[in-house]
Amino acid sequence: MAGKPESDYKKLTDEELILLFQKEDVSAFNELVYRYKDRLVNFIFRYTGSREESEDLAQDTFIRLYKSKHLYVEIAKFSTWFYTIALNLTRTFLNKRSKFKTTSISNYYDEEEKDFDLESGGLLPDDIANASNEGDIIQRAINSLNEKFREVIVLRDIQDLDYEEIAKITNLPLGTVKSRINRGRECLKIMLESIHKPKTKK
Amino acid sequence: MSEEEKYPEIREKLRSLETIKASGDFTRNLQLRIVEEESSRRKEHVKKYDLEKGGFLRNLFTNRQYPWLIPAIGFTAVIFFVFYITFLSRTNLITESSLSSGDSKKETVQSENGTLHEEKKETQDKTPENITENSKKPDEGNSSVNKSSDDRENTVSKPQTTENKKPIVSSFDNTEKSGNENMKMKKDVGDNLKEREVFSKSGDEKLSAEESPETDADKATVPEMSAPESSKDKTVTDEFKGKGLLLKLDKINKAGLESLRNKINN
């Protein structure tokens, strides 16, 4: 099966490639890696905010695809199925990471000193100071978003997937997806305005 | 206003973000990881295959695919053990009962002919044949079955001696070569014959009376011996084979003695 030239694989759709890979055609898998590696790394990086972790998670996703290729059914779009794998792996990774993360320092002080609580879902002054350009600021704003909004915003506005596909990937109703996207954008707007306002005032 | 048109600035900003590309060694690292995964999977497969190969007990106690096998086998083992014990106890009971019934029968027969047996035993013990027999027998007093078989042998041997006179005499004549030995033999035989004559004269009447109850006793004991119920019967049959040989020797001796007696009388 691996006798096809590379140009033939480039003409094939994702679904055709995965079907070929199910018949032990490794060249089809290589073509899928070539097509999706950048997209996947970008998606995971925007979701996690870490370059190294995004590459590791992208490789994990491809390994999962390699191992469980037989689980793909032709009914669904390949990109939907593949992004679902990536999203689940990233979610579990973030859950594991959040276990080691301290969210509040109020546990170490009295009730009166609760002013030390950090606000969740906002940009820190250090983030703004460390951000070298607007892209970094936006990325930090995305990272500070709630996970529910972040995943749909990344899938819609960065990966450019349609609503229905996002609904299938996140396993949410279409209306919920739309509302979450709107609320996420609203949160981002507020955060970015809060950054730019002091600058304009000065 | 549609949802797409709500926050166009934010959408534009997000779309204008730089796309992060995978590093140059991404595919190489991925291939290495895939190779590692494949090798680990093969190792697991080999381990599993080895487990499947490694003996019944090892599979039983290490394979967790069929955990119900352990209690099932244990239960069956217990059942087999219980059946085995019950079977053994039953066989023991049967053999004991058969032996006890046999003993009781013999006891009854012996009690009927007790006096006759005792007298006969006394006479047999005095004869040289029985002395030799007694010296050959390893454990005569152990079983009552042996006693009854001895009685039967004695009763059966008498008519046969008269029939087998001629061939045995010829064989005895062939053996008469050395004169001293013959003389000794003659003396011994003469003494024995004298004793026999005395016993035969006094006991002829008794023996004729003894023969009929003995046959009855034999009839009573024979089915017990031939019954293939237990291993003890086998040992009894083996003893009978040994007794058969002794019987033949006895016949030969008696025939020789009678031929000598005839010669002396002549």
Side-chain angles (χ1 to χ4, degrees):
Chain A
M1 293 297 288
K4 280 187 178 181
E6 281 186 19
S7 57
D8 288 353
Y9 288 106
K10 282 178 182 173
K11 287 174 189 172
L12 297 170
T13 60
D14 295 344
E15 287 75 28
E16 285 170 336
L17 284 170
I18 186 67
L19 289 172
L20 280 173
F21 181 48
Q22 281 177 344
K23 293 168 187 172
E24 305 298 328
D25 189 350
V26 183
S27 300
F29 175 73
N30 290 334
E31 179 60 26
L32 284 170
V33 171
Y34 178 75
R35 283 184 193 182
Y36 277 89
K37 65 176 181 180
D38 292 335
R39 273 197 268 180
L40 198 65
V41 169
N42 190 40
F43 164 66
I44 296 166
F45 171 72
R46 295 297 173 198
Y47 194 19
T48 59
S50 167
R51 177 73 195 235
E52 288 177 3
E53 286 164 359
S54 65
E55 288 226 346
D56 285 340
L57 284 166
Q59 283 179 1
D60 287 341
T61 312
F62 278 114
I63 288 164
R64 187 67 64 87
L65 168 67
Y66 188 88
K67 277 180 172 176
S68 48
K69 56 180 181 287
H70 57 279
L71 294 176
Y72 171 74
V73 188
E74 217 177 337
I75 303 160
K77 264 178 89 175
F78 172 74
S79 59
T80 311
W81 182 65
F82 192 55
Y83 273 111
T84 311
I85 296 168
L87 186 68
N88 289 332
L89 282 171
T90 314
R91 273 177 183 169
T92 49
F93 167 76
L94 288 172
N95 285 331
K96 279 180 187 174
R97 196 172 67 175
S98 67
K99 283 178 185 175
F100 301 104
K101 200 178 178 181
T102 52
T103 52
S104 175
I105 54 169
S106 62
N107 295 331
Y108 303 100
Y109 296 92
D110 294 332
E111 289 290 315
E112 294 170 3
E113 296 177 74
K114 266 203 164 179
D115 297 274
F116 289 103
D117 272 344
L118 297 171
E119 283 180 18
S120 59
L123 279 171
L124 295 169
D126 284 347
D127 289 335
I128 299 158
N130 291 329
S132 58
N133 53 27
E134 203 178 354
D136 286 346
I137 293 164
I138 294 165
Q139 180 58 49
R140 282 167 196 274
I142 292 166
N143 290 346
S144 62
L145 270 176
N146 192 318
E147 205 177 307
K148 289 176 186 175
F149 304 135
R150 197 177 2 165
E151 63 187 24
V152 286
I153 287 281
V154 170
L155 286 169
R156 176 64 195 152
D157 293 329
I158 295 169
Q159 295 296 311
D160 210 16
L161 301 176
D162 56 42
Y163 286 105
E164 286 180 2
E165 208 171 346
I166 294 164
K168 281 177 186 172
I169 290 164
T170 54
N171 198 21
L172 289 167
L174 196 66
T176 312
V177 170
K178 282 178 181 175
S179 68
R180 279 186 183 183
I181 286 168
N182 275 323
R183 283 177 68 188
R185 280 175 187 163
E186 196 180 339
C187 284
L188 270 176
K189 193 186 174 185
I190 293 161
M191 276 193 273
L192 291 171
E193 278 175 2
S194 68
I195 294 164
H196 289 291
K197 268 180 186 174
K199 280 182 184 175
T200 50
K201 278 177 185 174
K202 282 174 187 176
Chain B
M1 198 174 183
S2 69
E3 287 170 356
E4 292 287 316
E5 294 166 0
K6 268 184 181 175
Y7 304 100
E9 294 167 12
I10 299 295
R11 280 181 60 211
E12 281 301 314
K13 276 181 182 175
L14 289 170
R15 281 185 182 176
S16 65
L17 280 171
E18 188 190 356
T19 53
I20 305 296
K21 288 184 178 178
S23 60
D25 57 349
F26 180 85
T27 48
R28 196 173 60 84
N29 290 335
L30 180 65
Q31 281 175 351
L32 285 170
R33 284 184 68 179
I34 286 167
V35 168
E36 281 175 12
E37 287 283 329
E38 284 283 307
S39 62
S40 64
R41 201 193 287 181
R42 275 177 196 165
K43 278 177 187 174
E44 280 175 12
H45 179 73
V46 167
K47 275 183 185 175
K48 203 176 178 182
Y49 184 70
D50 283 346
L51 270 177
E52 283 169 3
K53 258 190 155 182
F56 173 73
L57 285 172
R58 198 181 165 189
N59 275 336
L60 183 67
F61 292 111
T62 53
N63 193 1
R64 295 187 179 180
Q65 282 182 335
Y66 310 106
W68 48 266
L69 264 176
I70 298 163
I73 287 171
F75 186 66
T76 47
V78 167
I79 285 169
F80 270 106
F81 185 69
V82 167
F83 268 104
Y84 181 70
I85 285 167
T86 48
F87 178 74
L88 269 181
S89 63
R90 268 192 187 180
T91 50
N92 284 333
L93 279 169
I94 289 160
T95 49
E96 279 172 11
S97 62
S98 63
L99 282 169
S100 62
S101 64
D103 288 337
S104 63
K105 280 178 184 176
K106 281 167 202 168
E107 279 170 8
T108 50
V109 171
Q110 280 175 355
S111 64
E112 283 174 0
N113 307 315
T115 52
L116 293 168
H117 275 278
E118 282 169 5
E119 285 176 3
K120 203 182 176 186
K121 274 176 193 173
E122 283 172 3
T123 54
Q124 282 171 352
D125 290 337
K126 285 173 185 175
T127 55
E129 296 93 357
N130 281 325
I131 291 160
T132 53
E133 260 185 49
N134 289 331
S135 63
K136 283 175 185 174
K137 283 172 192 172
D139 47 356
E140 195 177 74
N142 288 336
S143 61
S144 60
V145 180
N146 292 339
K147 286 175 185 175
S148 62
S149 64
D150 289 341
D151 297 337
R152 191 175 57 180
E153 283 163 21
N154 289 325
T155 53
V156 172
S157 65
K158 279 190 177 177
Q160 282 181 350
T161 48
T162 51
E163 286 172 7
N164 299 325
K165 267 182 183 177
K166 285 179 181 175
I168 292 163
V169 166
S170 61
S171 64
F172 188 77
D173 288 336
N174 289 329
T175 54
E176 282 182 343
K177 284 177 181 177
S178 62
N180 293 326
E181 285 176 6
N182 287 335
M183 286 297 284
K184 282 179 183 176
M185 283 283 284
K186 277 177 183 176
K187 279 179 183 175
D188 294 334
V189 169
D191 294 333
N192 289 328
L193 283 170
K194 280 173 186 173
E195 285 175 0
R196 273 216 161 188
E197 279 173 2
V198 170
F199 284 119
S200 63
K201 280 173 185 174
S202 61
D204 275 340
E205 292 171 3
K206 286 181 182 176
L207 283 168
S208 60
E210 279 170 16
E211 279 175 7
S212 61
E214 272 179 0
T215 50
D216 292 332
D218 292 337
K219 279 173 188 174
T221 52
V222 164
E224 285 171 23
M225 292 168 195
S226 60
E229 282 182 359
S230 64
S231 60
K232 287 180 180 179
D233 295 335
K234 286 179 181 177
T235 55
V236 169
T237 51
D238 291 333
E239 284 174 6
F240 266 115
K241 284 174 183 174
K243 288 283 161 64
L245 288 167
L246 290 168
L247 218 158
K248 282 177 183 175
L249 283 167
D250 192 28
K251 282 176 195 172
I252 292 158
N253 287 334
K254 280 176 183 173
L257 287 167
E258 285 197 5
S259 64
L260 277 168
R261 188 201 288 172
N262 289 328
K263 278 182 180 178
I264 291 159
N265 289 329
N266 289 329

